[in-house]
Amino acid sequence: MRVSGNFLLTRSVFVAALAVLMLNCASSQQRDEAKFSYQNLYQDRYERGYGGIIPVTLERGESYSGTISHDQKYLYFSSNTSGNYDIYLRDLNDVFSVPVVTTATNQREPSISPDGKYLVYVDDELDPDGDIILLKVNPKKLIELHRDREQPGDEWFASRAKNLTNSEKKRIRSRDANPAWSPDGNWIAYSSDLVPQHADDLGPGAGALQNIWLMPVSNPEEKRQLTTKGGVMPSFSPDGKRIVYISYEGAGSAGAVYEIDIASGKRRRFTSG
């Protein structure tokens, strides 16, 4: 039986194409199997090894104030890798950091909402001592834009960001810091040295006392002061009814842990210091 040259050529091309396809599938499968995972790193260090510190960010400069989304998929943190402090995003199944907020001012202390849709952080654009900013975020979209080499512009931030403790029309000076979400996502606790009856653009002055404040996310103008003897680093109880914080009240205090009941204002001291 005679076989034409065209048939042999066609058959050779088909075999070659099939081989390339199989090679690509195998390569893709290998990439999927080799996909980075902090879970694998954790198991290797703590379940099969001797523990130790697992570095999460490897950028040059200082990275701190990490906050992980409740679904444990994303990490937000502040870093000065570009010079000033900006907010970055990390998919915890990847090794690349994606910029979320990169402006000429500093952004610190990010905290992600329980539903993962909003980020609060401290920004010094209007006040060098810091304001609390609320930003609507979509981590999946931000990562996609970064991979496509696109970066959201100023208009994107302007449409999604809101200053919760200051305004362009009526600037005031106060050191606002340590924002923390309530478990239901309706409230934000933070520390501030604001003196309401004397609030102006000059600020409360050197040595002013930081206290714990609480504000509803839907109406930040209704913020109220919870403590009067000092307080920083607030954190809500799981039921959202109490706030734990650190206070340096008392002569020579190195800091002690307190709890305050939001409804009654009753305080309780946990540690000495």
Side-chain angles (χ1 to χ4, degrees):
M1 181 177 66
R2 298 177 61 187
V3 180
S4 68
N6 287 339
F7 174 79
L8 290 175
L9 179 61
T10 302
R11 183 175 183 274
S12 298
V13 171
F14 174 79
V15 171
L18 182 61
V20 170
L21 179 62
M22 293 177 65
L23 181 62
N24 286 339
C25 289
S27 175
S28 177
Q29 184 178 5
Q30 289 175 357
R31 285 197 300 270
D32 289 342
E33 291 175 353
K35 189 175 182 180
F36 180 82
S37 170
Y38 282 104
Q39 181 64 31
N40 293 338
L41 213 64
Y42 173 84
Q43 290 175 345
D44 184 65
R45 285 284 184 93
Y46 292 96
E47 295 182 9
R48 295 186 290 268
Y50 298 98
I53 296 174
I54 300 176
V56 179
T57 60
L58 300 175
E59 290 83 5
R60 65 184 181 187
E62 182 181 271
S63 300
Y64 77 114
S65 293
T67 176
I68 296 177
S69 59
H70 281 225
D71 59 11
Q72 301 182 17
K73 291 182 178 180
Y74 303 105
L75 166 72
Y76 297 86
F77 62 97
S78 178
S79 176
N80 65 351
T81 183
S82 62
N84 56 304
Y85 284 95
D86 296 311
I87 304 296
Y88 290 85
L89 162 68
R90 168 75 62 84
D91 183 336
L92 290 177
N93 283 319
D94 210 333
V95 294
F96 298 102
S97 297
V98 176
V100 178
V101 184
T102 54
T103 67
T105 56
N106 294 291
Q107 297 83 38
R108 300 183 176 91
E109 303 183 56
S111 179
I112 190 67
S113 62
D115 62 8
K117 295 180 179 180
Y118 293 91
L119 191 72
V120 287
Y121 57 90
V122 178
D123 184 280
D124 62 11
E125 180 180 7
L126 295 183
D127 183 351
D129 289 329
D131 297 318
I132 306 297
I133 308 297
L134 177 72
L135 177 69
K136 188 175 183 179
V137 293
N138 184 333
K140 186 176 181 180
K141 183 64 175 179
L142 285 170
I143 291 171
E144 289 176 355
L145 288 172
H146 182 72
R147 286 176 176 169
D148 293 338
R149 299 183 181 279
E150 297 181 21
Q151 177 65 30
D154 293 340
E155 292 182 0
W156 183 88
F157 291 111
S159 65
R160 290 171 171 260
K162 179 180 180 180
N163 192 318
L164 300 180
T165 57
N166 212 342
S167 69
E168 187 74 50
K169 294 181 179 180
K170 187 180 179 181
R171 294 195 187 190
I172 58 174
R173 289 287 303 273
S174 63
R175 181 175 287 104
D176 303 323
N178 317 137
W181 290 90
S182 63
D184 61 9
N186 293 327
W187 302 84
I188 294 174
Y190 64 103
S191 65
S192 177
D193 61 3
L194 177 69
V195 182
Q197 60 270 31
H198 301 296
D200 56 34
D201 57 357
L202 297 178
L209 193 62
Q210 294 279 116
N211 274 292
I212 304 300
W213 287 68
L214 182 69
M215 65 178 163
V217 179
S218 60
N219 191 0
E221 292 295 328
E222 294 184 356
K223 60 182 178 288
R224 62 188 178 98
Q225 186 175 343
L226 295 182
T227 66
T228 58
K229 296 182 179 180
V232 294
M233 305 299 294
S235 180
F236 282 88
S237 62
D239 61 8
K241 295 181 179 180
R242 299 174 303 280
I243 291 177
V244 174
Y245 63 96
I246 297 174
S247 179
Y248 296 88
E249 61 187 82
S253 174
V257 178
Y258 287 79
E259 176 191 76
I260 185 169
D261 182 86
I262 297 175
S264 67
K266 184 179 180 180
R267 299 190 315 141
R268 181 168 54 150
R269 182 170 180 168
F270 287 130
T271 66
S272 60

